[in-house]
Amino acid sequence: MKKKWLSLLVMFVLLAGVLAACGTSESSSNGSGEGESKKKLIMGTSADYPPFEFIDTAKGDEIIGVDPDIAHAVAKKLGYEVEIRDMDFGGLIQALQSGQVDFVLSAMSATEDRKKNVDFSEIYYTSKHMIVTKKGSDIASIDDLEGKTVGTQLGSIQETKAKDLAKEMDMKVENRNRIPELIQEIKAGRLDAAIIEDTVAQGFFEKDEELDGFTIEDADGGYAIALPKNSELTEEFNEALKEMIDNGEVDEIIKKWFSKE
Ligand code: ARG
């Protein structure tokens, strides 16, 4: 009986020794600067935008979609690792400028205005503005927005569009940080309508019968990767993305996520 305890104790000590050895060898190999440890880049995105970037809570807390796929593919080509950080769309350019993130992939349109503050890659997708309402609403054209309250995502080109409209007619513009908030507010009747991009709006229509909408016009500037002004990354990022656009990889990614919607 005593022998048994003794051998158990010996085994325990041995096992502890092995585990400790594993631990140190791992940490020392991590710590050394040599080897192929990839440089990590931080990507900023507003993960409220299926199928471009979103979290499928049924599957986990990972940010997935067209843009993460493009980011991982570009990074792989260039030998980087990517960490994705979720933040409000309205704070992305600021995060880029302050160095909090290395690049932004967030269905962000490459507008002339933004080009004053950031670099953009090639365009990989083009969108349209859509007016989203509750089904049965009396809004069927832009003119019907007269006297209404219209929501947009803070910092988006839809906000700019709404503000432009409000100069020509009596229309109130309200901002929200996240797209689902706009949808909720429409359903609750606190907003009469929202301006949202067609592809994203379409996804909400498919899941929610209470919603309706119509396309108004092309949005201003297609989607592109944003990088800090004069970043060293811009050229290599752009080249890798261009290659993916030319050889159909980007289309493949878009097709994959659009069919999942
Ligand atoms: N394309 C529009 C813009 O650049 C809206 C993008 C919103 N993106 C998002 N992930 N919520 O302003």
Side-chain angles (χ1 to χ4, degrees), residues 193-204:
I195 309 183
I196 300 178
E197 277 167 342
D198 52 353
T199 319
V200 173
Q202 218 75 52
F204 282 100

Side-chain angles (χ1 to χ4, degrees), residues 140-156:
S141 73
I142 292 193
D143 293 338
D144 297 334
L145 293 175
E146 178 80 33
K148 306 284 192 204
T149 303
V150 177
T152 57
Q153 182 164 41
L154 182 69
S156 68

Side-chain angles (χ1 to χ4, degrees), residues 36-43 71-72 75-76 78-84 102-103 237:
E36 296 176 24
S37 76
K38 290 187 192 160
K39 190 172 171 237
K40 197 205 272 174
L41 297 178
I42 313 279
M43 160 178 151
H72 288 301
K76 199 171 162 204
L78 303 174
Y80 296 111
E81 225 176 285
V82 178
E83 184 189 313
I84 304 180
D102 297 298
F103 68 98
F237 258 60

Side-chain angles (χ1 to χ4, degrees), residues 15-226:
L15 196 75
V18 167
L19 283 178
C22 282
T24 49
S25 79
E26 201 173 74
S27 59
S28 70
S29 75
N30 267 349
S32 74
E34 57 180 81
E36 296 176 24
S37 76
K38 290 187 192 160
K39 190 172 171 237
K40 197 205 272 174
L41 297 178
I42 313 279
M43 160 178 151
T45 199
S46 171
D48 62 345
Y49 225 58
F52 290 95
E53 43 265 336
F54 62 106
I55 297 165
D56 187 349
T57 42
K59 294 205 183 106
D61 54 9
E62 209 191 331
I63 300 172
I64 51 173
V66 172
D67 289 343
D69 273 7
I70 292 179
H72 288 301
V74 166
K76 199 171 162 204
K77 274 186 208 293
L78 303 174
Y80 296 111
E81 225 176 285
V82 178
E83 184 189 313
I84 304 180
R85 211 163 280 171
D86 185 19
M87 45 186 87
D88 289 340
F89 188 79
L92 284 172
I93 296 226
Q94 171 65 30
L96 204 54
Q97 287 179 310
S98 66
Q100 243 179 294
V101 300
D102 297 298
F103 68 98
V104 163
L105 242 172
S106 194
M108 185 178 274
S109 308
T111 63
E112 291 309 316
D113 224 26
R114 288 176 180 151
K115 279 182 196 162
K116 291 178 201 149
N117 297 311
V118 301
D119 279 353
F120 279 113
S121 69
E122 298 271 308
I123 305 275
Y124 63 90
Y125 186 80
T126 316
S127 67
K128 291 183 163 64
H129 293 306
M130 203 158 186
I131 306 288
V132 177
T133 64
K134 233 199 312 208
K135 211 169 246 167
S137 104
D138 56 358
I139 301 169
S141 73
I142 292 193
D143 293 338
D144 297 334
L145 293 175
E146 178 80 33
K148 306 284 192 204
T149 303
V150 177
T152 57
Q153 182 164 41
L154 182 69
S156 68
I157 57 170
Q158 286 68 43
E159 180 190 359
T160 314
K161 175 72 202 169
K163 285 189 171 155
D164 285 348
L165 286 173
K167 283 181 201 150
E168 296 156 21
M169 61 168 105
D170 169 34
M171 185 188 110
K172 205 172 145 220
V173 182
E174 280 194 25
N175 290 315
R176 295 293 182 274
N177 283 321
R178 300 269 171 169
I179 300 292
E181 293 176 62
L182 292 172
I183 302 289
Q184 281 317 312
E185 300 280 62
I186 291 173
K187 292 174 70 170
R190 279 187 292 267
L191 292 173
D192 298 304
I195 309 183
I196 300 178
E197 277 167 342
D198 52 353
T199 319
V200 173
Q202 218 75 52
F204 282 100
F205 295 159
E206 271 157 37
K207 279 191 222 105
D208 199 326
E209 293 199 340
E210 275 184 66
L211 300 169
D212 208 352
F214 55 93
T215 303
I216 50 172
E217 66 194 57
D218 286 4
D220 170 21
Y223 299 172
I225 306 176

